Amino acid sequence: QVQLVESGGGLVQAGGSLRLSCAASGSLFADKTMYWFRQAPGKQRELVALITSSSSTVYADSVKGRCTISRDNAKNTVYLQMNSLKPEDTAVYYCNHHSGITAYWGQGTQVTVSS
């Protein structure tokens, strides 16, 4: 079974930075587009960023210019560097990829940004 393990979340003040990591196992990581989603309390889960196998990236408008998604295929790990954090960035952040009809999710890592 594919496993995704997120880490790096925490409590930071507005304007601070965090680097989230997602370690993947059980799949051909280098061939996968990887996604970061987030879900705030009472809100729908939303896409934050994605990175393709060729390292092309896409960002949500809400984080564009403040976040950088990257990957290290040798470590089967995808990262999300988040700078200039805002209280509205507070959410559980999830790593994701899909294979066929199955979507794989990690357990999430909590990011809390205080004002």
Side-chain angles (χ1 to χ4, degrees), residues 19-34:
R19 188 197 194 201
L20 309 184
S21 299
C22 173
S25 65
S27 68
L28 297 175
F29 178 84
D31 295 331
K32 298 289 187 180
T33 293
M34 301 297 296

Side-chain angles (χ1 to χ4, degrees), residues 10-18 20 38 40-41 43 46 48 60-67 80-93 110-115:
L11 174 63
V12 298
Q13 292 185 330
S17 298
L18 286 172
L20 309 184
R38 67 186 181 186
K43 296 183 174 63
E46 65 175 345
V48 178
D61 288 341
S62 58
V63 304
K64 194 173 298 181
R66 300 188 296 117
C67 296
L80 184 68
Q81 177 69 44
M82 305 184 67
N83 303 318
S84 301
L85 284 163
K86 305 174 181 179
E88 51 262 45
D89 295 319
T90 295
V92 178
Y93 285 70
Q110 176 72 49
V111 171
T112 303
V113 185
S114 62
S115 59

Side-chain angles (χ1 to χ4, degrees), residues 47-110:
L47 177 67
V48 178
L50 65 84
I51 183 166
T52 70
S53 60
S54 62
S55 294
S56 296
T57 58
V58 176
Y59 298 94
D61 288 341
S62 58
V63 304
K64 194 173 298 181
R66 300 188 296 117
C67 296
T68 301
I69 187 171
S70 61
R71 66 194 299 157
D72 185 339
N73 290 342
K75 296 182 177 180
N76 283 2
T77 301
V78 61
Y79 305 94
L80 184 68
Q81 177 69 44
M82 305 184 67
N83 303 318
S84 301
L85 284 163
K86 305 174 181 179
E88 51 262 45
D89 295 319
T90 295
V92 178
Y93 285 70
Y94 297 93
C95 182
N96 166 268
H97 79 91
H98 56 85
S99 179
I101 64 170
T102 303
Y104 296 92
W105 301 90
Q107 83 290 343
T109 185
Q110 176 72 49

